Amino acid sequence: MLWMEDPRGPHVAKAYLLVALVLPIGLHVVLTMFGLHFNLLQITIRRVFYSVLWFAYLSTSRRVKLTYGVR
């Protein structure tokens, strides 16, 4: 949707970033509760950094607002 310059694109991308952020954290918590220890912490930290960075860009960028008409 972003590539096609659909006005809903930034909203869908932000929703994806939120889901992509919550899933690894939830998976890490559930696996730890069941006593399974996988090294998901590094993956989770990278996902948090990536999601926060792109979410901030999509929320504050003038270029995104001009391209997609986001208010």
Side-chain angles (χ1 to χ4, degrees):
M1 292 180 94
L2 287 173
W3 292 329
M4 295 184 301
E5 295 183 8
D6 187 322
R8 297 172 295 168
H11 298 294
V12 172
K14 288 178 191 178
Y16 165 77
L17 289 170
L18 288 175
V19 169
L21 175 65
V22 171
L23 284 178
I25 293 170
L27 180 63
H28 182 70
V29 168
V30 168
L31 290 176
T32 303
M33 283 178 16
F34 286 110
L36 301 171
H37 298 287
F38 292 98
N39 191 10
L40 293 177
L41 188 59
Q42 186 178 22
I43 295 168
T44 303
I45 290 171
R46 274 191 249 150
R47 178 56 64 180
V48 167
F49 179 74
Y50 175 84
S51 295
V52 167
L53 194 69
W54 275 107
F55 194 92
Y57 173 75
L58 290 170
S59 297
T60 61
S61 172
R62 285 186 350 173
R63 176 173 277 185
V64 170
K65 290 176 184 169
L66 291 173
T67 302
Y68 299 99
V70 177
R71 294 180 191 125

